[in-house]
Amino acid sequence: MDGIKYAVFTDKSFRLLGKNQYTFNVESGSTKTEIKRWIERFFGVKVKAMNSHRLTAKSRRIGSIVGHTIHYKRMIITLEPGYSIPPLSS
């Protein structure tokens, strides 16, 4: 589970729960096949499809130093019918 950072709870992610889709932020270097294996092993579910996109880095300033937030990917994972992730399901 090193590649999965945390589950995302936004308005869109709550709407997607009704379609049996779950949203996670993952390490930027992780591949779809790695994430699929981790999800299937850790939660004991079958993954039907996965969509990913990179979120843009936001600028942050501390005094005169300008930096950026951490880069990561967001994965929307669709499960096979009949499967769910209990701690995240509505």
Side-chain angles (χ1 to χ4, degrees), residues 14-64:
F14 281 118
R15 281 196 318 267
L16 291 175
L17 285 176
K19 298 178 182 178
N20 207 20
Q21 295 179 330
Y22 298 87
T23 308
F24 295 95
N25 283 345
V26 298
E27 294 288 334
S28 61
S30 300
T31 63
K32 284 185 179 184
T33 55
E34 289 174 348
I35 300 298
K36 180 179 179 178
R37 276 193 232 120
W38 287 331
I39 294 289
E40 287 180 344
R41 286 183 185 161
F42 187 73
F43 294 112
V45 297
K46 292 288 184 183
V47 175
K48 180 178 180 180
M50 299 178 70
N51 297 332
S52 67
H53 65 277
R54 274 190 206 280
L55 298 168
T56 58
K58 296 180 181 178
S59 296
R60 296 287 185 240
R61 176 184 292 274
I62 300 176
S64 61

